[in-house]
Amino acid sequence: MRTTGYGMYPKDIAALLAAAGEAAIVLTYVDHRAFTDVSLDRFASVNSTRLDWQGVEVLELSEEFDGDGLREMVRRHGAEGELVVVFWGNHAVPSVALEAEVMAAHAEMVVGSCYECWLYFTDGRVLIEFQDGEGFVAARVPN
């Protein structure tokens, strides 16, 4: 099932998809919703796009907001072979899934392609929020 307004601009992440090659999985709308239900939707929001961290287990705060900062967080919170789902702030760009090692290798492309995004680590149930100019927050996804 494809819904209007989702994934209409995959060219916005074309460089990441090209660099990651077959390691990148572009999610269908159904897959996107399934991963959203077990990750982003478990948090309250503040000002529509920022997550509310009150009452959740915050694992790490970082004032860095570049590829190096994201790479280090991915390495600290992602297990070898773990699938990481990237949700973009612009829902017209499709969500993608990459293994943690591939995500770390292409961290610059992720932060360079958006002003905000969220990374969901499927095994560890960790979510990292990126807000450009403000840094990263890593937290455990609540049950």
Side-chain angles (χ1 to χ4, degrees):
M1 173 179 162
R2 187 168 171 99
T3 300
T4 302
Y6 174 78
M8 296 166 33
Y9 300 103
K11 66 183 180 297
D12 290 353
I13 55 168
L16 174 63
L17 296 177
E22 292 182 16
I25 303 165
V26 177
L27 300 184
T28 65
Y29 180 74
V30 171
D31 292 337
H32 165 84
R33 286 301 319 149
F35 281 115
T36 300
D37 288 345
V38 298
S39 61
L40 287 172
D41 286 353
R42 304 286 173 117
F43 294 87
S45 64
V46 176
N47 297 330
S48 79
T49 61
R50 298 182 194 294
L51 299 181
D52 183 355
W53 302 110
Q54 292 186 20
V56 300
E57 181 185 358
V58 174
L59 303 171
E60 183 175 0
L61 298 169
S62 172
E63 292 182 3
E64 296 183 50
F65 52 92
D66 60 10
D68 289 334
L70 179 57
R71 179 182 297 88
E72 292 308 314
M73 286 190 89
V74 168
R75 289 179 176 156
R76 282 192 294 277
H77 298 286
E80 185 176 337
E82 182 171 13
L83 191 65
V84 179
V85 177
V86 182
F87 302 100
W88 310 101
N90 177 354
H91 295 293
V93 178
S95 297
V96 297
L98 307 160
E99 288 187 359
E101 300 84 15
V102 177
M103 175 67 241
H106 301 293
E108 286 89 359
M109 288 185 187
V110 172
V111 297
S113 66
C114 64
Y115 295 107
E116 60 188 5
C117 67
W118 298 266
L119 284 70
Y120 172 57
F121 296 74
T122 58
D123 295 340
R125 295 187 37 84
V126 169
L127 188 80
I128 294 176
E129 179 178 62
F130 166 66
Q131 296 287 336
D132 190 29
E134 296 181 25
F136 302 100
V137 178
R140 185 93 42 221
V141 175
N143 290 325

